Amino acid sequence: MQAPLSILAFGVGLVAVNQAMVTLAPLPAAAGLRSKVEFALEHVGDYDVLFIGSSATMYGLRPGVFSEELERLGHPGVRAFNLGVGGMGSFEAANVLRKVLDEEPARLAWVLYEEPLFDPRLWYPNAYNPRYVHWHDSSTTIAALAALRFSAEPPDYKRTDYDAHWLGWINWRLPLAMEHIGLWAWRQSAFGRGPEIIDELLDWAPEPLPTTEDLARHDGWVDIGVDAQPGVRRAHEDFLEKRGEWADRLAGIAAAEAEAGPLADGYDLAALESLLEEVRAAGAQPLLYVAPRGLPSPQMAALDAQGSAGEVLRFHLPGRYPELNPIELRWDFSHLNAEGAEVWSRLFAREFARLLDAQGASAHKR
Amino acid sequence: MLFVEFRFLAFFGLVLAVSWALRRNGARKAFLLLASYGFYAAWDWRFLGLILLSTLVDGLAGQQIHAAGDRQSRRRAWLILSLVVNLGILVTFKYYDFFAGSLNDLLTWLGVGSSLPVLNLVLPVGISFYTFQTLSYSLDIYRRQLAPARSPLDLALFVAFFPQLVAGPIVLAKEFLPQLAARPRWGSVDVRAALVLFFVGFVKKSCLSDALSPYVDAVHQAPDAVGAAGAWLSAAAFAAQIYCDFSGYTDMAIACAALLGYTLPTNFRAPYLTRSVGSFWTHWHITLGRWFREYLYFPLGGNRRGPGRSAINLFIVFLVSGLWHGAAWTFVLWGCIHGAFVALERTRLGGALARLPMIPALLYVNLVWMVSMVIFRSPSLEGASSLLRAMFSTALPPSTGAVPIPPWIAPVLVGAFAVHVVWQRTELSRRWAALPGPLFGLTLGAAVGMALPWITADPAPYIYFAF
């Protein structure tokens, strides 16, 4: 009887301490994730509107300008927060949003969500990186596994790895599923996260960027031109060299979207509906949009046409929003500069006001 | 396959289960031998041939030495064969390039053109360890202290037993072969003590040594990019790293062997708390010191021919010990320094040192160790010289490109110190293992939970694997 009891006690001790450690482990600091999410969790109750999406949102939408324009259009007193984070895809964004909604934000009336593609592919060369680990809680992992069936192709540079995997000969999605399950397992333990925990507890690491002060001053918007990181600077230099290609990219969008098949062929509508339902359950309204990144978005085109998620604001369409296309408004192919961000924020406010007026809705919680 | 990798834990779990399930001692030993060969093949299967050759030659030599009875010339001939084959393999793979390169340099310096070929052979992991083990077998039979192994299987398992195959402790045939005579009993295994020892070894290697290694590596890659403080910190960090790395490995090796029912000798006893360099070497890598004492120092005459000859013998032992660690002038110099200090301690100076109060004595030993280990760790004498200059100057680190001192290095050093002093001095492992079963399980589980965040996903190879 001693041995089974001892083994049980071992398990209890291990799980209890591990869980305590997991709760102490901070979010990854990279790309603004930690500071923006921590700020949002603390202050989300002060905001009416939340933008959530990738770096296109982080650099491209200025909440102050957005509110100012809304006020001019007859919707005063709206406070918005930009929760855009560099490299944040749909599953990570959904996970972050769930954390924010768990705070039961009293004032939050609208969640403006960038291009929810629900792509479960893991694009980083090293799948086991902190950025992927943090969002692999049980429910988000299950959602990602369920979305696998909608992925037609593996990322090109991972094809060989997946083919060589012991399960790869059956289907390339199986090694990918194993990666998701591995990330889930990793997420359950504080394995290898001691230095971060100590840095966080003892406040040793420098304050992650953007700083709390900057976040409060700009309501989450980050000026891409200020203290640009090396990768961001390289993208800018690359854009300056190849700026002639911008017009070609814009020209290709309509054709690429026209060729796309119906939504059901390659899109996890159930994941989207679940997300929208969670937003509504928290007392807010969802609104989807596509950022002006010069890339086609056939799924969002099909979703917009189907209408099951309401109107999708597709700012990437050059014909519909020509004011976003001038090359001098861009930092690189994917991001607007500060001036471009001002133009997009005003335009977004105008479209948002149009929707509010058409629906007889308010930007505030009723 | 490192002991701190999950695949080793899976491998060991399987070996443990199957080995205890096997009822017959022969089948059990055969299985453990296969598992040991599999373990070694996971590094590089090609070098299994060297282990097999070593085993074969020593098996044959041992039988023939024993069978020769009083025919001394025949006994000596078979011993020489064993020495030539084993040391020949070691010299070829480990030292040939060093000696050829050094000779080329010397002849070039003398103006005589020379181009001895350099072989660029890969060093088979653990070769210095298992070569010394097999040599102990034939040497002990020659000295009539051991009878030949009762079966080739026993000898093969003694040479290749996986817990100690690649980095010791260096087990003597006369202490391991008798353990193979009968199947061990599970009831006689102190499971709790073994689990605690394995856990402590794991923490030393994975949580402490691997945490210190990046800073030490960075300093030794750019020795000109540190000031005095950085150089001293790096020396302290390396002293802690190599202790945690090597003693951590041997803790796990001893624990694995214990769980399989076998006893391996102790290899470390709080060496940094000793009060003389001579005493240090009876507490650090104890089994290597024992091997050199039995098979080199005593045959050279030991201390039987007076203090002068004894000092020379000690110096020779430490010179060879330096070379055993690696084929480079840094190791030769390191061995000479330790030989010189140990020899000096045999003079009147030693008497004066023995009268030192505890703290100055500890400072003396640790200073000698830390400074000499800068040479040991450096990839070249030039690198060592740069770091030693930095240590003994008042220079500040360069204004740009200096190796940054990580903030967590202080707690890791404190952790290493705590493991070294508190653990070894207070017999915590014995007290821990003596707790009632469920309380032991709960505390071990909690301790593993505390250690998990400090385990690196990409462990560095053991430092002593390079030897």
Side-chain angles (χ1 to χ4, degrees):
Chain A
M1 197 56 200
Q2 276 272 308
L5 254 182
S6 301
I7 293 168
L8 184 68
F10 174 84
V12 169
L14 174 61
V15 170
V17 173
N18 178 62
Q19 278 309 303
M21 291 289 177
V22 168
T23 57
L24 290 175
L27 285 169
L33 179 72
R34 187 192 303 171
S35 54
K36 292 196 86 172
V37 173
E38 284 177 356
F39 187 92
L41 291 175
E42 202 172 328
H43 299 284
V44 67
D46 302 337
Y47 292 98
D48 306 285
V49 173
L50 185 73
F51 296 103
I52 187 163
S54 69
S55 55
T57 292
M58 174 163 82
Y59 298 127
L61 287 168
R62 303 174 64 165
V65 174
F66 178 80
S67 302
E68 187 185 291
E69 186 68 10
L70 272 181
E71 183 156 2
R72 201 180 63 75
L73 296 167
H75 297 276
V78 177
R79 283 201 70 193
F81 183 75
N82 179 332
L83 189 49
V85 173
M88 189 153 80
S90 307
F91 286 108
E92 187 176 22
N95 180 270
V96 164
L97 181 60
R98 208 167 284 130
K99 284 191 176 85
V100 171
L101 296 179
D102 283 347
E103 295 294 306
E104 300 180 358
R107 194 171 153 178
L108 189 66
W110 287 89
V111 172
L112 311 185
Y113 198 101
E114 183 193 334
E115 204 176 3
L117 294 177
F118 296 107
D119 179 358
R121 289 171 293 181
L122 300 169
W123 291 88
Y124 290 173
N126 167 26
Y128 294 94
N129 68 77
R131 198 61 195 277
Y132 283 150
V133 170
H134 89 89
W135 60 260
H136 273 82
D137 60 12
S138 301
S139 59
T140 317
T141 304
I142 290 168
L145 291 172
L148 284 176
R149 65 187 188 278
F150 296 104
S151 293
E153 296 281 328
D156 269 348
Y157 68 95
K158 285 194 157 186
R159 194 185 293 270
T160 319
D161 287 349
Y162 287 158
D163 285 347
H165 192 274
W166 62 282
L167 286 170
W169 65 275
I170 304 173
N171 190 308
W172 68 267
R173 292 179 188 85
L174 289 173
L176 175 55
M178 295 296 286
E179 283 181 338
H180 280 294
I181 292 166
L183 286 163
W184 170 83
W186 200 315
R187 167 74 168 66
Q188 307 312 308
S189 89
F191 180 80
R193 307 194 62 190
E196 295 164 56
I197 293 172
I198 286 289
D199 284 349
E200 179 78 353
L201 286 177
L202 301 180
D203 208 13
W204 273 352
E207 186 182 4
L209 296 174
T211 63
T212 308
E213 193 187 334
D214 285 341
L215 288 170
R217 189 187 310 140
H218 298 297
D219 293 315
W221 172 66
V222 176
D223 184 344
I224 196 167
V226 175
D227 295 332
Q229 298 296 304
V232 174
R233 214 181 297 279
R234 270 198 302 278
H236 182 55
E237 285 156 11
D238 186 50
F239 178 70
L240 293 179
E241 266 178 37
K242 300 175 184 167
R243 55 200 300 164
E245 294 173 17
W246 177 241
D248 298 338
R249 282 178 75 148
L250 292 179
I253 291 176
E257 293 195 0
E259 282 173 16
L263 186 64
D265 285 355
Y267 188 72
D268 192 351
L269 197 56
L272 176 68
E273 282 166 355
S274 162
L275 176 75
L276 300 182
E277 194 45 51
E278 282 182 62
V279 172
R280 290 188 191 109
Q285 290 300 310
L287 173 64
L288 309 182
Y289 65 93
V290 183
R293 300 201 302 171
L295 293 172
S297 181
Q299 288 103 327
M300 291 301 105
L303 186 67
D304 193 26
Q306 193 189 64
S308 58
E311 183 177 341
V312 180
L313 300 177
R314 295 155 65 202
F315 293 106
H316 68 301
L317 297 178
R320 196 178 291 180
Y321 301 106
E323 55 272 61
L324 291 173
N325 298 334
I327 211 153
E328 56 273 17
L329 295 183
R330 306 208 66 85
W331 174 265
D332 58 33
F333 285 109
S334 301
H335 305 109
L336 293 160
N337 57 24
E339 213 178 312
E342 177 160 356
V343 173
W344 186 25
S345 304
R346 287 196 192 285
L347 186 61
F348 205 131
R350 286 204 287 278
E351 288 293 85
F352 186 52
R354 174 180 64 76
L355 281 174
L356 291 176
D357 295 341
Q359 295 172 7
S362 170
H364 300 284
K365 202 169 216 170
R366 285 180 170 153
Chain B
M1 189 156 34
L2 301 172
F3 284 179
V4 290
E5 285 181 285
F6 285 115
R7 59 181 180 149
F8 174 77
L9 299 181
F11 164 83
F12 184 65
L14 184 70
V15 170
L16 198 61
V18 174
S19 68
W20 285 109
L22 293 168
R23 293 281 166 206
R24 292 181 54 197
N25 193 30
R28 189 173 193 269
K29 287 188 287 190
F31 170 72
L32 286 175
L33 179 64
L34 280 177
S36 297
Y37 286 158
F39 174 81
Y40 195 77
W43 300 104
D44 196 328
W45 61 269
R46 293 171 302 174
F47 295 134
L48 261 182
L50 295 179
I51 295 183
L52 288 169
L53 177 65
S54 218
T55 310
L56 205 67
V57 168
D58 278 300
L60 187 64
Q63 288 288 355
Q64 293 300 323
I65 292 168
H66 187 69
D70 292 330
R71 285 171 289 173
Q72 195 56 28
S73 57
R74 192 174 161 84
R75 285 162 49 79
R76 191 173 294 128
W78 280 103
L79 177 68
I80 288 169
L81 174 75
S82 165
L83 292 173
V84 165
V85 171
N86 283 302
L87 293 176
I89 293 171
L90 186 63
V91 167
T92 306
F93 280 89
K94 188 164 178 174
Y95 299 107
Y96 172 81
D97 281 357
F98 168 63
F99 288 127
S102 299
L103 194 60
N104 281 341
D105 290 346
L106 177 69
L107 293 175
T108 307
W109 182 71
L110 290 173
V112 185
S114 166
S115 57
L116 275 176
V118 175
L119 302 176
N120 286 322
L121 293 173
V122 176
L123 182 69
V125 67
I127 189 168
S128 306
F129 290 91
Y130 70 72
T131 300
F132 271 35
Q133 287 203 179
T134 54
L135 281 177
S136 84
Y137 175 74
S138 39
L139 284 166
D140 279 348
I141 294 176
Y142 180 79
R143 299 189 319 179
R144 303 185 197 280
Q145 291 178 355
L146 180 73
R150 297 198 306 180
S151 78
L153 181 61
D154 283 14
L155 178 63
L157 184 56
F158 157 66
V159 176
F161 187 49
F162 72 88
Q164 45 79 54
L165 173 60
V166 287
I170 298 170
V171 185
L172 302 183
K174 58 191 170 199
E175 68 193 347
F176 191 77
L177 286 175
Q179 296 185 53
L180 299 176
R183 183 182 181 277
R185 288 183 305 109
W186 175 249
S188 61
V189 174
D190 190 345
V191 178
R192 287 192 210 165
L195 289 176
V196 168
L197 194 59
F198 189 87
F199 171 71
V200 172
F202 200 107
V203 167
K204 281 184 190 171
K205 163 63 184 158
S206 194
C207 305
L208 298 171
S209 169
D210 282 358
L212 293 166
S213 138
Y215 177 65
V216 175
D217 291 351
V219 168
H220 281 274
Q221 274 164 18
D224 296 322
V226 286
W232 278 106
L233 189 63
S234 140
F238 184 60
Q241 183 200 349
I242 195 166
Y243 168 75
C244 290
D245 197 275
F246 192 21
S247 77
Y249 174 87
T250 44
D251 285 348
M252 284 187 275
I254 292 168
C256 287
L259 286 170
L260 290 167
Y262 303 106
T263 304
L264 299 185
T266 301
N267 219 15
F268 291 88
R269 275 202 314 266
Y272 294 160
L273 299 181
T274 52
R275 298 170 62 162
S276 69
V277 177
S279 170
F280 178 94
W281 280 104
T282 59
H283 291 68
W284 173 278
H285 203 176
I286 295 166
T287 54
L288 179 69
R290 178 182 67 170
W291 197 98
F292 276 124
R293 193 171 56 251
E294 280 210 27
Y295 302 109
L296 185 60
Y297 180 66
F298 289 158
L300 283 172
N303 55 7
R304 292 193 306 268
R305 297 183 195 168
R309 183 56 199 262
S310 168
I312 291 170
N313 290 343
L314 280 170
F315 190 82
I316 292 170
V317 165
F318 278 94
L319 174 66
V320 177
S321 167
L323 266 175
W324 179 89
H325 282 86
W329 289 110
T330 47
F331 293 109
V332 173
L333 178 60
W334 175 81
C336 289
I337 290 170
H338 280 269
F341 271 95
V342 174
L344 269 176
E345 286 175 0
R346 297 287 179 101
T347 65
R348 284 183 190 168
L349 183 71
L353 283 170
R355 288 189 292 277
L356 278 178
M358 189 178 74
I359 300 292
L362 289 180
L363 278 176
Y364 154 70
V365 172
N366 283 281
L367 201 66
V368 171
W369 180 251
M370 280 201 298
V371 173
S372 66
M373 289 309 274
V374 169
I375 299 164
F376 181 98
R377 172 63 183 79
S378 288
S380 65
L381 288 174
E382 292 76 22
S385 155
S386 294
L387 268 180
L388 290 173
R389 270 200 309 274
M391 286 169 85
F392 294 101
S393 76
T394 52
L396 292 170
S399 51
T400 54
V403 177
I405 296 174
W408 40 262
I409 203 155
V412 175
L413 280 174
V414 169
F417 179 77
V419 165
H420 191 82
V421 179
V422 180
W423 195 264
Q424 295 222 6
R425 281 295 191 214
T426 58
E427 293 194 329
L428 264 182
S429 61
R430 190 183 53 76
R431 293 185 199 181
W432 192 0
L435 288 175
L439 188 56
F440 171 78
L442 188 72
T443 48
L444 185 62
V448 173
M450 296 275 280
L452 270 181
W454 304 97
I455 294 171
T456 53
D458 188 19
Y462 287 97
I463 295 170
Y464 267 68
F465 279 9
F467 308 146

